[in-house]
Amino acid sequence: MDQTLDRRRLLATAALGGVVGATALGSLAPEAAFAAEATAVAPGAPDPNFAEGRISKISGSMLLVTGSDTVLHSIRITDGTSIWKLHPTTFDRVAVGDGLYARGVRLPDGTLAADSVWVNIVNLHGHVAAVGRNVLHLDHKGQRILAHVVPGRSAAVYNGTPAVSDMSLLRVGRHVQVLGAWHPDTNEIDIATVYAAA
Amino acid sequence: MAALRGEVSWFCCGTAWGPCGSAGGGACGTCRSGNYQHAWPNTSDACLAITRPHACGITGMSRRGCGFRHYTTNLCNGARIGTTIADCGPQTDLFCGERTCCGSACGSNRIIDLTPAAYSVIASLSTGLRPCSVDTV
Protein backbone atom coordinates (compact mmCIF):
# COMPACT_ATOMS: atom_id res chain seq x y z
CA MET A 1 0.00 0.00 0.00
CA ASP A 2 2.85 2.36 0.79
CA GLN A 3 4.14 1.68 -2.68
CA THR A 4 0.74 2.57 -4.16
CA LEU A 5 0.51 5.80 -2.24
CA ASP A 6 4.03 6.77 -3.17
CA ARG A 7 3.35 6.09 -6.80
CA ARG A 8 0.11 8.06 -6.84
CA ARG A 9 1.77 10.99 -5.10
CA LEU A 10 4.56 10.94 -7.66
CA LEU A 11 2.06 10.92 -10.52
CA ALA A 12 0.10 13.78 -9.08
CA THR A 13 3.29 15.70 -8.47
CA ALA A 14 4.38 15.15 -12.05
CA ALA A 15 0.99 16.25 -13.36
CA LEU A 16 1.22 19.40 -11.33
CA GLY A 17 4.61 20.27 -12.72
CA GLY A 18 6.90 18.62 -10.20
CA VAL A 19 10.22 17.20 -11.25
CA VAL A 20 9.60 13.53 -11.74
CA GLY A 21 11.42 11.36 -14.18
CA ALA A 22 10.40 8.09 -15.70
CA THR A 23 12.89 6.35 -13.50
CA ALA A 24 11.06 7.50 -10.44
CA LEU A 25 7.98 5.60 -11.56
CA GLY A 26 9.81 2.97 -13.51
CA SER A 27 11.05 1.14 -10.48
CA LEU A 28 8.03 -1.10 -10.66
CA ALA A 29 8.03 -3.92 -13.20
CA PRO A 30 4.93 -3.79 -15.45
CA GLU A 31 3.03 -6.59 -13.71
CA ALA A 32 4.07 -5.34 -10.29
CA ALA A 33 2.86 -1.87 -11.17
CA PHE A 34 -0.65 -3.16 -11.81
CA ALA A 35 -0.52 -5.28 -8.69
CA ALA A 36 0.26 -2.14 -6.72
CA GLU A 37 -2.88 -0.35 -7.87
CA ALA A 38 -5.56 0.08 -5.25
CA THR A 39 -9.19 0.45 -6.15
CA ALA A 40 -12.26 1.47 -4.18
CA VAL A 41 -14.68 1.33 -7.10
CA ALA A 42 -17.65 -0.97 -6.56
CA PRO A 43 -18.13 -3.89 -8.96
CA GLY A 44 -20.30 -2.75 -11.84
CA ALA A 45 -19.62 0.93 -11.34
CA PRO A 46 -17.74 3.28 -13.66
CA ASP A 47 -14.09 3.87 -12.79
CA PRO A 48 -13.29 7.59 -12.42
CA ASN A 49 -9.60 6.84 -12.94
CA PHE A 50 -10.23 5.41 -16.41
CA ALA A 51 -11.12 7.18 -19.64
CA GLU A 52 -11.77 6.25 -23.25
CA GLY A 53 -12.48 8.18 -26.40
CA ARG A 54 -10.85 9.92 -29.33
CA ILE A 55 -8.29 12.68 -29.19
CA SER A 56 -9.77 15.96 -30.38
CA LYS A 57 -6.84 18.22 -29.50
CA ILE A 58 -3.28 18.03 -28.23
CA SER A 59 -2.07 21.01 -26.25
CA GLY A 60 1.38 20.73 -24.74
CA SER A 61 1.31 17.61 -22.62
CA MET A 62 -2.48 17.59 -22.42
CA LEU A 63 -4.77 15.41 -24.48
CA LEU A 64 -8.33 16.60 -24.92
CA VAL A 65 -10.41 13.52 -25.49
CA THR A 66 -14.03 13.19 -26.48
CA GLY A 67 -15.46 10.07 -24.89
CA SER A 68 -17.65 7.78 -26.95
CA ASP A 69 -20.45 8.80 -24.60
CA THR A 70 -19.60 12.48 -25.49
CA VAL A 71 -18.07 13.17 -22.06
CA LEU A 72 -14.94 15.32 -22.41
CA HIS A 73 -11.69 14.28 -20.72
CA SER A 74 -8.48 16.21 -20.11
CA ILE A 75 -5.63 13.74 -19.89
CA ARG A 76 -2.21 14.86 -18.72
CA ILE A 77 0.83 12.98 -20.06
CA THR A 78 3.70 12.99 -17.60
CA ASP A 79 7.29 11.79 -17.74
CA GLY A 80 6.08 8.64 -16.06
CA THR A 81 3.20 7.84 -18.44
CA SER A 82 3.62 4.63 -20.40
CA ILE A 83 2.24 4.92 -23.93
CA TRP A 84 1.36 1.97 -26.18
CA LYS A 85 0.60 2.33 -29.86
CA LEU A 86 1.16 -1.10 -31.37
CA HIS A 87 4.26 -1.18 -29.18
CA PRO A 88 5.61 0.96 -26.35
CA THR A 89 6.20 4.39 -27.82
CA THR A 90 6.58 8.09 -27.10
CA PHE A 91 4.18 11.02 -26.85
CA ASP A 92 5.17 12.43 -30.24
CA ARG A 93 3.61 9.37 -31.91
CA VAL A 94 0.17 10.24 -30.56
CA ALA A 95 -2.09 12.12 -32.97
CA VAL A 96 -5.41 13.92 -33.13
CA GLY A 97 -8.07 11.43 -34.19
CA ASP A 98 -6.49 8.51 -32.37
CA GLY A 99 -8.68 6.46 -30.09
CA LEU A 100 -7.46 5.57 -26.63
CA TYR A 101 -7.98 4.01 -23.26
CA ALA A 102 -6.22 5.71 -20.36
CA ARG A 103 -5.73 4.87 -16.71
CA GLY A 104 -4.31 7.19 -14.09
CA VAL A 105 -5.18 9.37 -11.16
CA ARG A 106 -8.06 11.85 -11.27
CA LEU A 107 -6.86 15.19 -9.93
CA PRO A 108 -9.07 17.66 -8.05
CA ASP A 109 -9.54 19.78 -11.19
CA GLY A 110 -10.90 16.75 -13.08
CA THR A 111 -7.77 16.15 -15.12
CA LEU A 112 -6.66 12.54 -15.43
CA ALA A 113 -2.90 12.28 -14.76
CA ALA A 114 -2.19 9.28 -16.95
CA ASP A 115 -0.26 6.31 -15.71
CA SER A 116 -0.88 4.29 -18.89
CA VAL A 117 -2.34 5.20 -22.26
CA TRP A 118 -3.19 2.60 -24.89
CA VAL A 119 -3.61 4.29 -28.26
CA ASN A 120 -5.87 2.75 -30.91
CA ILE A 121 -5.68 -0.60 -29.14
CA VAL A 122 -8.22 -3.21 -30.20
CA ASN A 123 -8.78 -6.78 -29.08
CA LEU A 124 -11.00 -8.38 -31.71
CA HIS A 125 -12.44 -11.81 -32.29
CA GLY A 126 -13.19 -12.99 -35.79
CA HIS A 127 -12.86 -15.64 -38.42
CA VAL A 128 -10.15 -15.64 -41.04
CA ALA A 129 -11.92 -14.96 -44.34
CA ALA A 130 -8.80 -14.79 -46.49
CA VAL A 131 -5.05 -14.69 -46.14
CA GLY A 132 -3.00 -12.38 -48.34
CA ARG A 133 0.58 -11.26 -48.43
CA ASN A 134 1.14 -9.68 -45.02
CA VAL A 135 -2.59 -9.23 -44.46
CA LEU A 136 -5.45 -11.18 -42.91
CA HIS A 137 -9.04 -10.55 -43.94
CA LEU A 138 -11.22 -11.04 -40.89
CA ASP A 139 -14.96 -11.34 -40.45
CA HIS A 140 -15.73 -9.52 -37.22
CA LYS A 141 -19.37 -9.23 -36.22
CA GLY A 142 -20.40 -8.88 -39.83
CA GLN A 143 -17.68 -6.40 -40.64
CA ARG A 144 -14.64 -7.04 -42.79
CA ILE A 145 -11.39 -6.07 -41.04
CA LEU A 146 -8.04 -5.89 -42.81
CA ALA A 147 -5.37 -6.90 -40.34
CA HIS A 148 -1.87 -6.05 -41.45
CA VAL A 149 1.15 -8.09 -40.50
CA VAL A 150 3.91 -5.71 -39.38
CA PRO A 151 7.29 -7.33 -40.00
CA GLY A 152 9.37 -7.38 -36.86
CA ARG A 153 6.38 -6.68 -34.64
CA SER A 154 3.43 -8.96 -35.37
CA ALA A 155 3.42 -12.29 -33.62
CA ALA A 156 1.22 -15.37 -33.61
CA VAL A 157 0.33 -17.56 -30.66
CA TYR A 158 -0.97 -20.95 -31.72
CA ASN A 159 -3.14 -22.38 -28.95
CA GLY A 160 -0.97 -21.13 -26.14
CA THR A 161 2.42 -21.95 -27.59
CA PRO A 162 5.14 -19.26 -27.38
CA ALA A 163 4.67 -16.34 -29.76
CA VAL A 164 6.33 -16.64 -33.15
CA SER A 165 6.55 -14.38 -36.18
CA ASP A 166 5.45 -17.15 -38.54
CA MET A 167 1.83 -16.55 -39.62
CA SER A 168 1.77 -19.40 -42.09
CA LEU A 169 -0.28 -21.67 -39.83
CA LEU A 170 -3.27 -19.33 -39.89
CA ARG A 171 -6.03 -20.92 -41.93
CA VAL A 172 -9.15 -19.60 -43.63
CA GLY A 173 -12.24 -20.29 -41.58
CA ARG A 174 -10.44 -20.53 -38.25
CA HIS A 175 -11.29 -18.39 -35.26
CA VAL A 176 -8.72 -15.87 -34.04
CA GLN A 177 -8.33 -13.14 -31.49
CA VAL A 178 -6.28 -10.18 -32.67
CA LEU A 179 -4.66 -7.67 -30.37
CA GLY A 180 -3.59 -4.71 -32.46
CA ALA A 181 -3.76 -1.05 -33.32
CA TRP A 182 -6.57 0.48 -35.32
CA HIS A 183 -5.93 2.81 -38.26
CA PRO A 184 -8.32 5.65 -37.36
CA ASP A 185 -11.43 6.00 -39.51
CA THR A 186 -10.74 2.83 -41.48
CA ASN A 187 -11.53 -0.87 -41.19
CA GLU A 188 -7.82 -1.65 -40.93
CA ILE A 189 -5.61 -2.60 -38.02
CA ASP A 190 -1.98 -3.55 -37.47
CA ILE A 191 -1.43 -6.85 -35.72
CA ALA A 192 0.47 -6.98 -32.45
CA THR A 193 -0.50 -10.53 -31.53
CA VAL A 194 -2.88 -12.95 -33.16
CA TYR A 195 -4.13 -15.81 -30.99
CA ALA A 196 -5.19 -18.77 -33.06
CA ALA A 197 -7.30 -21.66 -31.89
CA ALA A 198 -6.09 -25.20 -32.42
CA MET B 1 -18.17 -21.67 -6.02
CA ALA B 2 -14.65 -22.92 -5.63
CA ALA B 3 -12.09 -20.72 -7.34
CA LEU B 4 -11.98 -21.50 -11.02
CA ARG B 5 -8.64 -21.27 -12.76
CA GLY B 6 -8.32 -20.32 -16.43
CA GLU B 7 -7.56 -17.40 -18.73
CA VAL B 8 -8.86 -13.83 -18.71
CA SER B 9 -8.97 -11.42 -21.64
CA TRP B 10 -10.76 -8.12 -22.29
CA PHE B 11 -13.48 -6.88 -24.59
CA CYS B 12 -15.09 -3.54 -25.37
CA CYS B 13 -18.77 -2.75 -25.07
CA GLY B 14 -21.17 0.15 -24.94
CA THR B 15 -20.54 3.25 -26.97
CA ALA B 16 -17.06 2.97 -28.42
CA TRP B 17 -14.68 4.03 -31.17
CA GLY B 18 -13.25 2.06 -34.07
CA PRO B 19 -14.16 -1.59 -34.64
CA CYS B 20 -15.68 -1.63 -31.15
CA GLY B 21 -18.36 0.78 -32.30
CA SER B 22 -20.70 -2.10 -33.09
CA ALA B 23 -20.28 -3.79 -29.71
CA GLY B 24 -23.44 -2.52 -28.02
CA GLY B 25 -24.52 -3.08 -24.44
CA GLY B 26 -23.97 -6.82 -24.34
CA ALA B 27 -26.44 -9.54 -23.40
CA CYS B 28 -27.54 -7.62 -20.32
CA GLY B 29 -27.84 -4.33 -22.16
CA THR B 30 -25.81 -2.53 -19.50
CA CYS B 31 -22.21 -3.18 -20.57
CA ARG B 32 -19.83 -0.19 -20.69
CA SER B 33 -16.09 -0.32 -21.35
CA GLY B 34 -15.49 2.14 -18.53
CA ASN B 35 -17.34 0.10 -15.90
CA TYR B 36 -16.11 -2.77 -13.74
CA GLN B 37 -17.99 -5.47 -15.60
CA HIS B 38 -17.38 -8.80 -17.27
CA ALA B 39 -18.69 -11.44 -19.61
CA TRP B 40 -19.47 -14.87 -18.17
CA PRO B 41 -19.93 -18.06 -20.21
CA ASN B 42 -22.90 -19.39 -18.25
CA THR B 43 -25.55 -16.70 -17.95
CA SER B 44 -28.38 -18.71 -19.54
CA ASP B 45 -29.09 -21.84 -21.57
CA ALA B 46 -28.78 -19.84 -24.75
CA CYS B 47 -25.45 -18.40 -23.63
CA LEU B 48 -24.08 -21.80 -22.62
CA ALA B 49 -25.05 -23.22 -26.00
CA ILE B 50 -22.72 -20.67 -27.58
CA THR B 51 -19.78 -20.65 -25.18
CA ARG B 52 -19.77 -24.42 -24.42
CA PRO B 53 -17.12 -24.52 -21.67
CA HIS B 54 -18.05 -28.17 -21.06
CA ALA B 55 -16.55 -28.94 -24.47
CA CYS B 56 -13.19 -28.06 -22.93
CA GLY B 57 -13.82 -30.25 -19.89
CA ILE B 58 -14.64 -27.36 -17.58
CA THR B 59 -16.94 -28.26 -14.73
CA GLY B 60 -18.12 -26.16 -11.81
CA MET B 61 -18.92 -23.06 -13.84
CA SER B 62 -22.07 -21.89 -12.09
CA ARG B 63 -25.10 -20.37 -13.79
CA ARG B 64 -25.06 -16.66 -12.90
CA GLY B 65 -27.20 -13.82 -14.18
CA CYS B 66 -26.73 -10.18 -15.03
CA GLY B 67 -25.29 -8.16 -12.18
CA PHE B 68 -23.73 -11.09 -10.31
CA ARG B 69 -20.32 -10.35 -8.79
CA HIS B 70 -17.17 -12.27 -9.57
CA TYR B 71 -13.63 -11.52 -8.43
CA THR B 72 -10.79 -12.13 -10.85
CA THR B 73 -7.17 -12.49 -9.79
CA ASN B 74 -4.29 -12.07 -12.24
CA LEU B 75 -2.00 -15.00 -11.44
CA CYS B 76 0.99 -13.07 -12.80
CA ASN B 77 0.93 -10.45 -10.07
CA GLY B 78 -1.86 -11.26 -7.59
CA ALA B 79 -3.89 -8.18 -8.53
CA ARG B 80 -7.63 -8.67 -8.01
CA ILE B 81 -10.73 -6.93 -9.32
CA GLY B 82 -14.43 -7.26 -8.55
CA THR B 83 -16.83 -6.97 -11.47
CA THR B 84 -20.46 -7.70 -12.34
CA ILE B 85 -21.83 -9.75 -15.22
CA ALA B 86 -22.90 -7.64 -18.18
CA ASP B 87 -22.54 -10.01 -21.13
CA CYS B 88 -22.32 -13.62 -22.26
CA GLY B 89 -18.81 -14.81 -23.12
CA PRO B 90 -16.06 -15.59 -23.81
CA GLN B 91 -16.63 -18.29 -26.41
CA THR B 92 -14.61 -20.79 -24.44
CA ASP B 93 -14.93 -23.72 -26.85
CA LEU B 94 -13.11 -21.88 -29.63
CA PHE B 95 -9.86 -21.98 -27.66
CA CYS B 96 -10.11 -25.35 -25.90
CA GLY B 97 -6.81 -26.38 -24.39
CA GLU B 98 -5.19 -22.96 -24.77
CA ARG B 99 -2.75 -22.34 -21.95
CA THR B 100 -1.23 -19.08 -20.70
CA CYS B 101 1.55 -18.90 -18.13
CA CYS B 102 3.60 -16.47 -16.12
CA GLY B 103 6.47 -18.60 -14.97
CA SER B 104 4.89 -21.50 -13.12
CA ALA B 105 1.49 -19.77 -12.75
CA CYS B 106 -0.68 -21.09 -15.55
CA GLY B 107 -4.30 -21.07 -16.62
CA SER B 108 -6.02 -23.11 -19.31
CA ASN B 109 -9.16 -22.21 -21.24
CA ARG B 110 -10.91 -18.86 -21.43
CA ILE B 111 -13.32 -18.44 -18.56
CA ILE B 112 -13.93 -14.68 -18.28
CA ASP B 113 -13.61 -11.46 -20.26
CA LEU B 114 -13.27 -8.14 -18.46
CA THR B 115 -14.08 -4.65 -19.69
CA PRO B 116 -11.04 -2.46 -20.45
CA ALA B 117 -11.58 -0.48 -17.23
CA ALA B 118 -11.51 -3.67 -15.17
CA TYR B 119 -8.75 -5.51 -17.02
CA SER B 120 -6.47 -2.46 -16.87
CA VAL B 121 -6.61 -2.52 -13.07
CA ILE B 122 -4.94 -5.94 -12.95
CA ALA B 123 -2.86 -5.96 -16.15
CA SER B 124 -1.85 -3.85 -19.10
CA LEU B 125 -4.36 -3.99 -21.96
CA SER B 126 -1.44 -4.77 -24.24
CA THR B 127 -0.99 -8.16 -22.58
CA GLY B 128 -4.29 -9.31 -24.08
CA LEU B 129 -4.47 -12.56 -22.12
CA ARG B 130 -3.48 -13.60 -18.62
CA PRO B 131 -3.80 -16.69 -16.40
CA CYS B 132 -6.37 -16.04 -13.69
CA SER B 133 -8.52 -17.45 -10.96
CA VAL B 134 -12.16 -16.44 -10.51
CA ASP B 135 -14.18 -16.68 -7.32
CA THR B 136 -17.23 -15.12 -5.74
CA VAL B 137 -15.91 -13.78 -2.43
Side-chain angles (χ1 to χ4, degrees):
Chain A
M1 180 55 95
D2 289 345
Q3 193 175 50
T4 300
L5 291 174
D6 287 348
R7 188 160 178 266
R8 288 177 179 273
R9 189 177 65 242
L10 282 167
L11 263 174
T13 303
L16 295 170
V19 180
V20 175
T23 52
L25 292 165
S27 59
L28 298 174
E31 292 288 353
F34 284 93
E37 288 291 340
T39 177
V41 179
D47 183 351
N49 295 315
F50 180 87
E52 70 79 40
R54 295 189 67 179
I55 300 170
S56 51
K57 184 179 180 182
I58 300 175
S59 179
S61 61
M62 190 77 82
L63 301 177
L64 301 180
V65 172
T66 303
S68 298
D69 55 2
T70 71
V71 171
L72 301 177
H73 302 279
S74 295
I75 300 175
R76 173 82 70 184
I77 303 299
T78 75
D79 289 346
T81 304
S82 69
I83 302 173
W84 186 98
K85 189 175 183 180
L86 189 62
H87 42 68
T89 189
T90 50
F91 185 44
D92 60 305
R93 305 299 296 173
V94 179
V96 170
D98 283 343
L100 63 73
Y101 297 110
R103 169 162 294 289
V105 177
R106 191 70 68 173
L107 301 178
D109 68 355
T111 298
L112 185 72
D115 186 356
S116 300
V117 176
W118 299 271
V119 179
N120 293 333
I121 193 167
V122 293
N123 193 18
L124 304 175
H125 286 262
H127 287 88
V128 179
V131 178
R133 181 176 173 79
N134 282 339
V135 66
L136 299 178
H137 299 253
L138 304 177
D139 281 334
H140 166 71
K141 296 185 175 180
Q143 291 180 295
R144 182 58 60 92
I145 301 288
L146 296 184
H148 298 276
V149 176
V150 179
R153 174 62 183 97
S154 301
V157 174
Y158 297 103
N159 213 40
T161 57
V164 294
S165 60
D166 180 12
M167 302 278 172
S168 66
L169 296 181
L170 297 173
R171 295 284 182 262
V172 172
R174 303 312 296 264
H175 186 84
V176 294
Q177 173 193 343
V178 181
L179 185 75
W182 177 52
H183 298 189
D185 299 315
T186 73
N187 66 335
E188 300 180 40
I189 64 173
D190 287 335
I191 298 171
T193 305
V194 55
Y195 298 89
Chain B
M1 182 184 93
L4 191 62
R5 183 176 281 223
E7 297 173 309
V8 55
S9 187
W10 61 272
F11 73 114
C12 53
C13 58
T15 53
W17 45 265
C20 278
S22 60
C28 301
T30 59
C31 195
R32 303 286 180 271
S33 288
N35 289 17
Y36 284 2
Q37 294 174 316
H38 68 276
W40 183 246
N42 188 8
T43 60
S44 66
D45 286 344
C47 173
L48 197 62
I50 295 170
T51 60
R52 303 177 67 243
H54 48 279
C56 304
I58 298 175
T59 58
M61 181 172 281
S62 304
R63 169 70 52 87
R64 302 296 186 189
C66 296
F68 186 85
R69 292 184 182 190
H70 283 110
Y71 294 85
T72 303
T73 301
N74 176 353
L75 297 181
C76 298
N77 58 16
R80 189 167 187 260
I81 181 77
T83 54
T84 59
I85 293 176
D87 202 356
C88 167
Q91 206 167 340
T92 309
D93 66 331
L94 292 177
F95 290 91
C96 272
E98 184 184 58
R99 183 174 171 86
T100 302
C101 296
C102 282
S104 60
C106 298
S108 294
N109 299 312
R110 298 180 180 220
I111 57 172
I112 194 167
D113 274 350
L114 301 178
T115 56
Y119 189 94
S120 63
V121 170
I122 62 171
S124 171
L125 295 179
S126 61
T127 59
L129 196 63
R130 279 291 179 253
C132 73
S133 67
V134 177
D135 55 43
T136 57
V137 291

